[in-house]
Amino acid sequence: MALIPLDTTFLLLSLATLVSLRLVHLAVHRLVLHPLAKIPGPKVAALTHLYEFYHDAIRPGKFTFQIDGFHRKYGPVVRINPREVHIQDPEFFDQLYSTLMKLNKDWYYYRFVGTSDASFGTPSYSQHRQRRKAFNRFFSLSAILDHEKQVRKSVLQLCARLEEHRQTNRPVLLGSVFRSLATDVISQYALPEGHNLLGERDFGKDFHNVNRKLSGVAAYNRHFPFIIPTLMVLPAWLVKLTATPGMVQMLNFQSHNQNQARQIVAMGKRSDDSVLHGIFNSDLPDSEKTAERIFQEALTLVGAGSETTGSALEHVFYHALANPAIKARLFADLSEAAKQGDLSSHETLKRIPYLDAVIKEGLRMGHGVSGRLPRYDPHNSITYKGYVFPPGTIISMSIRDMHLDPDYHPEPLTFNPERWLDPSMQKRSEQFFAPFGKGTRACVGRELAMLEMMMVTATLLHRFEMDLFRTTYDDVRMQHDFFSPFHADDSKGLQVTIT
Ligand code: HEM
């Protein structure tokens, strides 16, 4: 047996002692001395981020459900990791996410995005304002209505594809269909040349499966932030050697986006021809107009606009088709509206209250964004009931908690469009409803998403007779929270037959 020299043993022992002392110090600090030490919650979650990591990444996407359990046990205020408090109280949502609050996003949580160069993942309040201003104008209602023709074109393309399925009687994976439609719409708006997943065989099913897997990888990146940057610098040829067809499709998709950003910068043309052109044409400083940063904006705009809208539509359709009375009432109202105008025009769609109610109910139960929204105020304390959280404390709330709270939305697991129409319920329902978030970091794509959802729901449910195919609520309900909600791995999501 080789003998370790004495001075090496001494060194190793000293190192082990130092590491142990540091760990003990960290534990005592987090559990006893930390400003959050007295906040209720499980000690293990307060002690180490590894607890969250396990339920977030290894189990994948289950930490949200752990947080639900903490609240049942400890009440509305819970310390969920060493540095963050989660609050479950719909009355506080408007206050925390008010436009008057100058809050930063928590850089740790948002590392799942893989970049802080795009608006979505920008931690700083002031830098975010500057970045978002560069493309806000593209997403006002009037700007979106100028783009209505393009959205209609995608919906008509989808109808033509569904006709093929009607004739062959093959079931359709509507989840993939909706995600593809949403990806095409936002990419055709944001990029000079968008994508055409609706034209793909199987509506880009493999692509969406890869997206789902990558969302799981993103949860790892939150805790170990070198993962996504490492994957991004791997040469494409190397990845393609071992990649599945869906992965190859994803790589081509991303390199297309990257090339578009590079071309905009290389050509140096000042125009508002696309959202990305608009960012280059804005009054941002030159350091913010690099091809790499514009590419990151493209990545997050397309990412944020597709999975959310796709999964919300999946919920709208599941519930509309699973409830014959709702489907019949919607069809009757759509038929009536079709006599007065065009069901693919916003002007007609906005006058159909039952359509609006069905979509809101889908957004309430489907949670386009299921993840918590952590923020902090670097300069001021935040108070909640008797608690005073010092500057820098990370505080998060979840839209899902508000939407499923029986005190604000009675029988929250029942899909009931009437709650948006009945005057005795309507005001309360609206007040505690925020699928697109609130405040300065609220969704920029709200008007686009609403237009897509209205046009798709009205056109498809009026034009086609659809029936659920081997789909129960378990096939669509959230089983994993990767910021967007994902259904169970072994489910194909919403499937329908068309006659
Ligand atoms: C049903 C569909 C959608 C839902 C439910 C939804 C929901 C949300 C929510 C809750 C946020 C705030 C996230 C946070 O605080 O971290 C957000 C942010 C965002 N959404 Fe959406 N979204 C939808 C569709 C879209 C679409 C179509 C786009 C396309 C442009 C989009 C682009 C964005 C962007 C860029 C942000 C970041 C905003 C910022 O930080 O300035 N979303 N969305």
Side-chain angles (χ1 to χ4, degrees):
M1 190 177 75
L3 286 177
I4 302 175
L6 193 60
D7 50 352
T8 310
T9 314
F10 177 74
L11 266 179
L12 287 175
L13 275 174
S14 307
L15 196 65
T17 312
L18 280 176
V19 170
S20 310
L21 282 174
R22 172 69 188 124
L23 289 177
V24 170
H25 173 257
L26 199 63
V28 171
H29 175 76
R30 286 179 174 175
L31 295 180
V32 185
L33 306 170
H34 195 280
L36 299 181
K38 295 214 162 49
I39 303 296
K43 292 289 174 233
V44 59
L47 187 63
T48 166
H49 272 289
L50 288 175
Y51 181 84
E52 176 179 358
F53 168 68
Y54 173 70
H55 292 285
D56 191 27
I58 310 264
R59 281 186 67 214
K62 299 290 189 187
F63 192 53
T64 283
F65 303 112
Q66 292 297 118
I67 298 176
D68 292 347
F70 298 163
H71 283 298
R72 280 194 294 275
K73 185 164 175 194
Y74 299 101
V77 180
V78 175
R79 185 180 182 189
I80 57 170
N81 67 36
R83 34 194 297 287
E84 182 178 343
V85 169
H86 189 267
I87 298 181
Q88 192 180 58
D89 178 356
E91 303 276 350
F92 188 59
F93 195 90
D94 272 4
Q95 217 173 308
L96 184 65
Y97 299 98
S98 151
T99 37
L100 301 175
M101 300 284 269
K102 297 184 173 172
L103 303 182
N104 290 352
K105 272 188 170 176
D106 176 28
W107 53 269
Y108 187 104
Y109 179 80
Y110 282 95
R111 286 197 304 212
F112 79 93
V113 194
T115 176
S116 55
D117 284 346
S119 315
F120 181 78
T122 304
S124 145
Y125 166 84
S126 49
Q127 188 172 37
H128 166 262
R129 270 176 71 98
Q130 195 190 27
R131 286 177 170 172
R132 171 128 168 198
K133 195 165 148 256
F135 61 84
N136 232 1
R137 64 188 181 285
F138 287 89
F139 292 97
S140 66
L141 179 59
S142 68
I144 292 304
L145 291 183
D146 284 346
H147 185 63
E148 185 177 348
K149 218 163 68 188
Q150 192 61 38
V151 179
R152 184 176 304 126
K153 208 170 135 200
S154 291
V155 175
L156 294 180
Q157 181 191 3
L158 168 58
C159 288
R161 293 284 331 264
L162 293 183
E163 279 295 346
E164 295 166 18
H165 282 258
R166 169 151 56 189
Q167 278 153 23
T168 58
N169 220 9
R170 266 187 302 143
V172 185
L173 292 174
L174 269 194
S176 293
V177 167
F178 293 148
R179 285 169 177 83
S180 289
L181 176 111
T183 310
D184 288 358
V185 168
I186 178 59
S187 67
Q188 286 164 13
Y189 192 46
L191 307 170
E193 256 179 64
H195 295 274
N196 179 20
L197 291 180
L198 280 179
E200 298 276 335
R201 212 177 60 82
D202 288 341
F203 298 102
K205 181 177 82 153
D206 294 340
F207 177 88
H208 299 300
N209 285 339
V210 169
N211 206 20
R212 179 189 171 91
K213 290 207 173 82
L214 291 180
S215 301
V217 173
Y220 278 83
N221 198 73
R222 175 176 292 137
H223 307 277
F224 300 103
F226 57 85
I227 295 176
I228 293 182
T230 309
L231 292 177
M232 297 292 273
V233 297
L234 288 180
W237 62 264
L238 182 66
V239 181
K240 281 180 184 171
L241 275 182
T242 52
T244 59
M247 190 66 199
V248 172
Q249 207 180 356
M250 173 65 76
L251 286 169
N252 292 339
F253 181 91
Q254 297 305 6
S255 73
H256 172 83
N257 297 351
Q258 192 162 28
N259 289 337
Q260 303 258 302
R262 283 180 180 154
Q263 272 170 26
I264 288 173
V265 174
M267 287 168 71
K269 184 179 154 204
R270 302 251 160 208
S271 79
D272 272 357
D273 290 352
S274 70
V275 180
L276 295 196
H277 276 102
I279 295 174
F280 189 70
N281 191 22
S282 70
D283 54 11
L284 281 171
D286 287 349
S287 57
E288 291 281 300
K289 293 183 184 176
T290 61
E292 186 50 29
R293 210 196 71 76
I294 293 179
F295 166 55
Q296 296 297 351
E297 288 290 12
L299 255 184
T300 43
L301 277 169
V302 175
S306 43
E307 188 57 48
T308 46
T309 316
S311 96
L313 271 171
E314 197 171 11
H315 278 262
V316 168
F317 272 69
Y318 170 77
H319 289 289
L321 297 177
N323 293 283
I326 292 173
K327 183 178 161 190
R329 162 95 192 264
L330 188 55
F331 183 75
D333 285 15
L334 291 173
S335 303
E336 201 46 45
K339 289 183 198 155
Q340 328 280 334
D342 175 2
L343 278 185
S344 63
S345 131
H346 183 259
E347 201 44 41
T348 310
L349 295 169
K350 73 177 184 193
R351 295 178 208 284
I352 313 175
Y354 199 70
L355 173 66
D356 182 59
V358 166
I359 289 174
K360 282 188 175 139
E361 197 56 347
L363 283 167
R364 185 186 67 79
M365 287 183 72
H367 346 283
V369 163
S370 52
R372 61 187 200 267
L373 311 175
R375 307 282 192 266
Y376 67 96
D377 187 327
H379 307 297
N380 305 294
S381 302
I382 294 179
T383 51
Y384 169 71
K385 298 204 166 156
Y387 296 96
V388 179
F389 300 110
T393 306
I394 316 293
I395 303 179
S396 58
M397 297 186 74
S398 305
I399 297 169
R400 184 173 147 266
D401 287 346
M402 176 160 67
H403 288 179
L404 296 183
D405 189 321
D407 290 341
Y408 302 91
H409 302 283
E411 295 184 49
L413 297 180
T414 303
F415 189 86
N416 176 17
E418 290 305 323
R419 69 175 89 239
W420 304 99
L421 301 168
D422 178 340
S424 68
M425 299 163 87
Q426 190 186 28
K427 193 164 169 244
R428 203 166 169 74
S429 303
E430 297 279 3
Q431 192 182 346
F432 296 98
F433 180 61
F436 298 100
K438 288 201 171 167
T440 55
R441 312 298 294 247
C443 181
V444 75
R446 177 194 181 117
E447 303 297 352
L448 179 61
M450 286 305 288
L451 178 66
E452 285 178 62
M453 287 192 289
M454 288 197 291
M455 213 189 268
V456 171
T457 309
T459 309
L460 264 53
L461 288 181
H462 186 243
R463 196 157 168 170
F464 298 103
E465 176 60 36
M466 292 184 172
D467 291 293
L468 294 177
F469 177 78
R470 294 189 190 154
T471 306
T472 67
Y473 188 45
D474 273 347
D475 290 299
V476 294
R477 84 185 163 88
M478 178 175 96
Q479 297 276 6
H480 306 274
D481 162 31
F482 296 136
F483 198 68
S484 272
F486 285 81
H487 54 64
D489 276 337
D490 57 0
S491 162
K492 290 184 173 172
L494 175 59
Q495 298 184 76
V496 297
T497 49
I498 303 177
T499 49

